[in-house]
Amino acid sequence: MSHSENKGLILGIMAGAAGISLVLVWYHKIRKPGATALLDLRNRFHYVDFQNEMHNEQGTVMALQRRQLQILEKLNGLLLNMEELKREVKFLKEAVPKLEELVRDELQGKADVRRISPSHRATRKRRAETSYGATETTSSEEADSEGGYITAHTDTEGESKEERRWISLPAESARPEKETELFNLLQQVDSLRCGSDDDKKESFRLLLEKEEKYGNHEGFLWRLARAYGDMFEMTTDIEEKKKYVANGKIVAEKAIQLDTMSADSHQWFAIMCGYMSEFDSIQNKIKNGCLFKEHLDKAIELKPQDPFLYYLNGRWCYSVAQLSWIEKKVAATLFGTPPTSTVQEALQNFLKAEEMHPGYSKYNYVFLAKCYKDLGHRSNALKYCDFASSVLPVTNEDKEAQKDLEALLLTLQL
């Protein structure tokens, strides 16, 4: 190769290298702005993603807070349900011993083939705490047979108009606080009255404590009158008896003024009049006897399903049929026409009580025997004496009935 050709080759290589260098410089110049733009765009995307993440985290926190509130509300509802359950369990604990005693008495009665007075077998129906009521009722009488027009009274007297009104009231959560407190008080005193004498005294104490607060409520007042009747029965002091029956009559009369359609108010006013006749003069005794009959008839009109009222009516009829000549003259002077009744009318009332509630009470059997004896039906009189003998004497009334029964059997054996 000649020298001139070598020189041309070297110049060509140098020219090519220079061209490549220029191309590389140009490429770097146009690449830098594009790379910066891409970097900025990538940073913007990262910022947007960060903002979205922050927004999502805030939404999550709010959702958690809402969930916590829901959980707290449910826990609060659960606590309220637990309190209600505690109250129901407490009631069941109080009711179970009585139920056990009832079952034990029933089983014992079947084993001995002896009848216990139904007035002490009647179960106490519970009105649901979902209703304002309840109360279902037991019937049990205690009597004092000393010469008045009335000598017995019930623990609770069947479902009265006032009690049915309580049942129709809304659930406890929807009732005003005062109504709820009164309802609970009445349930408590009704329950206590089914217990011992000490329980009855406690019932009386509770009612006296709340008299100022609930003294204008008819259902409260007739229960207070009933409690005065309990205290009358339990005390042996004559002056205390007079005080209890006088206060009881005032309270029962106020209950009637508040609600003239309350059978229980009329019933307990009548009973107070009957108690007062034990201490009164002949004049006041007959006056109270007429008041007794007037309000007893009203109670029967309002509560015709209660056998106790027919038993009381039978006692009144029998007492009037036994009035002495001078008592009838005093009645004629006071009222123009004296109260009149017959042993036959008394018998029909005692039979009505027995028909409505077979085996109603020991004393009802005794008075059936008395009526048949007075009417000359000795065989029927002895039959009901046997029935009365088969009823174990449990209450004060039963013990008084046992004394009358023994005296009656002596006369029938003559």
Side-chain angles (χ1 to χ4, degrees), residues 281-316:
S281 62
I282 293 177
Q283 178 177 340
N284 288 332
K285 179 178 178 179
I286 294 174
K287 181 180 178 181
N288 279 315
C290 291
L291 284 173
F292 171 85
K293 178 62 173 172
E294 176 188 344
H295 288 275
L296 179 62
D297 286 345
K298 185 64 176 178
I300 291 175
E301 176 187 335
L302 295 170
K303 194 169 55 170
Q305 78 282 3
D306 190 348
F308 176 62
L309 297 178
Y310 294 97
Y311 167 78
L312 290 182
N313 204 30
R315 293 294 297 265
W316 184 89

Side-chain angles (χ1 to χ4, degrees), residues 299-346:
I300 291 175
E301 176 187 335
L302 295 170
K303 194 169 55 170
Q305 78 282 3
D306 190 348
F308 176 62
L309 297 178
Y310 294 97
Y311 167 78
L312 290 182
N313 204 30
R315 293 294 297 265
W316 184 89
C317 291
Y318 191 83
S319 295
V320 171
Q322 306 299 316
L323 283 177
S324 65
W325 176 83
I326 189 171
E327 288 174 326
K328 290 179 181 179
K329 285 297 183 182
V330 172
T333 302
L334 288 174
F335 303 105
T337 302
T340 59
S341 190
T342 64
V343 174
Q344 184 64 43
E345 289 176 340

Side-chain angles (χ1 to χ4, degrees), residues 56 58 150 164 172 181 207 233 300 302 326 336 372 400:
N56 290 338
Q58 290 176 353
I150 164 212
R164 291 193 296 271
E172 183 174 342
E181 182 184 350
L207 288 166
E233 288 289 340
I300 291 175
L302 295 170
I326 189 171
Y372 279 121
E400 292 292 339

Side-chain angles (χ1 to χ4, degrees), residues 140-361:
S140 114
E141 310 82 42
E142 285 190 21
D144 184 309
S145 61
E146 288 286 329
Y149 292 113
I150 164 212
T151 58
H153 64 274
T154 57
D155 285 338
T156 51
E157 290 70 39
E159 190 177 278
S160 66
K161 174 188 173 185
E162 186 268 338
E163 288 172 320
R164 291 193 296 271
R165 181 173 66 82
W166 284 119
I167 298 175
S168 65
L169 289 174
E172 183 174 342
S173 59
R175 293 194 304 266
E177 182 179 350
K178 187 175 180 180
E179 279 192 1
T180 301
E181 182 184 350
L182 175 59
F183 169 69
N184 292 335
L185 172 65
L186 298 185
Q187 279 197 325
Q188 184 179 5
V189 298
D190 285 345
S191 177
L192 285 170
R193 193 169 184 273
C194 296
S196 64
D197 285 353
D198 287 339
D199 290 332
K200 292 178 181 179
K201 290 177 183 177
E202 176 64 12
S203 171
F204 178 64
R205 185 190 66 79
L206 290 173
L207 288 166
L208 282 183
E209 284 183 355
K210 298 294 183 179
E211 183 177 8
E212 184 176 352
K213 186 173 184 179
Y214 299 117
N216 289 319
H217 189 280
E218 164 265 330
F220 175 89
L221 288 173
W222 72 253
R223 285 175 171 85
L224 179 56
R226 182 183 67 181
Y228 275 118
D230 290 337
M231 299 304 294
F232 174 90
E233 288 289 340
M234 288 185 284
T235 188
T236 56
D237 184 85
I238 299 299
E239 293 305 315
E240 286 189 2
K241 280 181 175 287
K242 290 180 180 180
K243 180 185 69 174
Y244 287 136
V245 75
N247 289 335
K249 185 178 179 182
I250 293 171
V251 169
E253 186 174 18
K254 184 178 179 181
I256 293 173
Q257 292 170 353
L258 290 171
D259 184 1
T260 59
M261 301 303 289
S262 168
D264 295 296
S265 298
H266 285 285
Q267 174 179 321
W268 283 100
F269 182 79
I271 289 174
M272 293 300 112
C273 291
Y275 285 147
M276 293 192 79
S277 69
E278 296 183 20
F279 311 106
D280 283 337
S281 62
I282 293 177
Q283 178 177 340
N284 288 332
K285 179 178 178 179
I286 294 174
K287 181 180 178 181
N288 279 315
C290 291
L291 284 173
F292 171 85
K293 178 62 173 172
E294 176 188 344
H295 288 275
L296 179 62
D297 286 345
K298 185 64 176 178
I300 291 175
E301 176 187 335
L302 295 170
K303 194 169 55 170
Q305 78 282 3
D306 190 348
F308 176 62
L309 297 178
Y310 294 97
Y311 167 78
L312 290 182
N313 204 30
R315 293 294 297 265
W316 184 89
C317 291
Y318 191 83
S319 295
V320 171
Q322 306 299 316
L323 283 177
S324 65
W325 176 83
I326 189 171
E327 288 174 326
K328 290 179 181 179
K329 285 297 183 182
V330 172
T333 302
L334 288 174
F335 303 105
T337 302
T340 59
S341 190
T342 64
V343 174
Q344 184 64 43
E345 289 176 340
L347 176 64
Q348 294 306 312
N349 278 281
F350 293 129
L351 288 173
K352 178 74 172 178
E354 177 67 13
E355 176 188 351
M356 295 178 72
H357 194 320
Y360 178 67
S361 73

